[in-house]
Amino acid sequence: MAFEFDLIARHFAPIAGPGGLRLLDDAALADTPPGHQLVVTTDAIVAGVHFFADDPPDTIAQKALGVNLSDLAAKGADPLGFVLSLIMPADIGDAWLSAFARGLQALSVAAVCPLLGGDTVIAQGTLTLSITAFGSVPAGQMVHRDGVQAGDRLFVTGTIGDAAIGLKARLAARAGSPWPLAADHLGFLDQRYLVPRPRFAIATVLRSHAHAAMDISDGFVGDLGKMIALAGMGADIRLDDVPLSVAARAAIRFRPELAETALTGGDDYEVLAAVPAAGAKAFAADCLALGLQATEVGFVTGEGAPIRFLEADGAVRRFARGSYVHGESV
């Protein structure tokens, strides 16, 4: 018990927000702005499933917090704070914890999402982190998944497939078969796998424009299918319009089968939004004003229509699977 108190005091109390009460109590205290509702999300990440156990500890921390911030952003929620549960093997030392805390603090400060509390456990087994993040939205303005309407234009932020391709490249290197891509391309793809870029700046734009939104965590094809299906609608997606980075395109030229990996592989943590046609240009412009690229990739068709992923010649593309399957190992 004394060890746990010392660990918290040295590594986590210095980065806690006021609501964390210096991490001396058994609970946190946080205010919701007047006229707002609380939005809560939680995600766990596990070594060997969501990251490699020997990944840099600062990137592990930023992935754990980033995946939760991505969920808040897609709901149009502004971050309020988070709690962390850290279950770690006994051989994790002070240097690892120091680097982990630095990474956690860096993203926490950037997102204005302070640490409020949590729990630390030393146990045999696999390094596991669970974060619950809290956000707020003006009452009645949370952006749901199921608000899609016929005629909506479908947008995605950033670029798709970088993290999934980055994971493939990393696995190839570990197997002794590194890809012959430029070092800057490999570095970019690896970084996109290691550290999500939660689009927390987009929250206000979504509240102003979007009928529906969700974060893309399990693959563009599968997650889009989930959102459209909830509304009982169909969609036409122009695959040539799905935004890919220069590095991802280079990898696909090297291995054409990676085009499917990019579209279905997961770990993008970009935002998918359904926006009324009349507001599509304003949505894209407002995103751009925040430094976010938002690309229109298709539109919502009628009730009961199919979801079609269209090649440049109009042919419908089929996928072996739509998304990442939970439980698969890295």
Side-chain angles (χ1 to χ4, degrees):
M1 184 65 71
F3 171 78
E4 182 182 12
F5 285 152
D6 181 58
L7 182 156
I8 293 169
R10 282 187 292 118
H11 297 290
F12 298 114
I15 68 175
L21 308 175
R22 294 184 294 162
L23 304 188
L24 296 175
D25 216 317
D26 289 329
L29 184 65
D31 293 323
T32 303
H36 285 63
Q37 292 175 298
L38 188 68
V39 179
V40 182
T41 185
T42 189
D43 268 301
I45 65 170
V46 180
V49 177
H50 302 96
F51 61 93
F52 293 90
D54 59 354
D55 281 345
D58 59 328
T59 69
I60 296 172
Q62 293 189 9
K63 176 170 280 193
L65 180 55
V67 301
N68 285 276
L69 290 172
S70 183
D71 280 326
L72 289 182
K75 299 301 97 191
D78 298 313
L80 291 175
F82 70 98
V83 294
L84 164 71
S85 291
L86 177 59
I87 304 168
M88 53 189 172
D91 60 355
I92 283 186
D94 196 71
W96 190 98
L97 286 166
S98 293
F100 178 88
R102 287 195 299 272
L104 195 65
Q105 183 177 28
L107 183 53
S108 169
V109 169
V112 195
C113 186
L115 176 65
L116 299 176
D119 194 20
T120 56
V121 179
I122 305 295
Q124 290 185 345
T126 303
L127 174 64
T128 302
L129 303 91
S130 179
I131 282 181
T132 299
F134 306 92
S136 70
V137 294
Q141 293 188 33
M142 190 180 95
V143 183
H144 296 262
R145 282 190 186 184
D146 61 358
V148 173
Q149 297 182 23
D152 281 351
R153 277 21 184 189
L154 295 166
F155 285 83
V156 294
T157 61
T159 54
I160 297 299
D162 298 317
I165 295 175
L167 173 59
K168 293 281 190 181
R170 173 174 281 214
L171 290 171
R174 286 179 176 239
S177 302
W179 294 351
L181 297 181
D184 58 338
H185 288 165
L186 287 171
F188 173 84
L189 295 169
D190 191 54
Q191 195 64 20
R192 287 280 276 160
Y193 169 72
L194 284 170
V195 182
R197 297 177 180 175
R199 306 303 185 179
F200 42 81
I202 204 174
T204 57
V205 180
L206 291 176
R207 294 199 301 263
S208 297
H209 293 288
H211 281 155
M214 67 181 291
D215 84 319
I216 304 171
S217 56
D218 294 335
F220 168 74
V221 169
D223 283 343
L224 182 138
K226 294 171 193 173
M227 190 172 85
I228 299 298
L230 281 173
M233 298 287 179
D236 279 359
I237 304 300
R238 302 177 297 269
L239 290 175
D240 275 5
D241 290 341
V242 175
L244 300 175
S245 68
V246 173
R249 291 185 185 278
I252 291 168
R253 285 194 297 272
F254 167 63
R255 290 186 180 275
E257 68 273 16
L258 291 173
E260 183 149 337
T261 298
L263 293 166
T264 64
D267 268 359
D268 293 302
Y269 299 105
E270 298 292 351
V271 174
L272 168 67
V275 178
K281 288 184 178 180
F283 173 78
D286 285 354
C287 287
L288 190 60
L290 294 172
L292 296 176
Q293 172 188 319
T295 303
E296 185 177 332
V297 296
F299 62 94
V300 180
T301 53
E303 186 174 344
I307 300 173
R308 303 191 306 168
F309 295 92
L310 303 173
E311 303 282 11
D313 61 1
V316 176
R317 181 166 182 172
R318 311 291 181 186
F319 295 93
R321 65 176 190 178
S323 60
Y324 166 83
V325 178
H326 290 279
E328 293 182 345
S329 297
V330 296

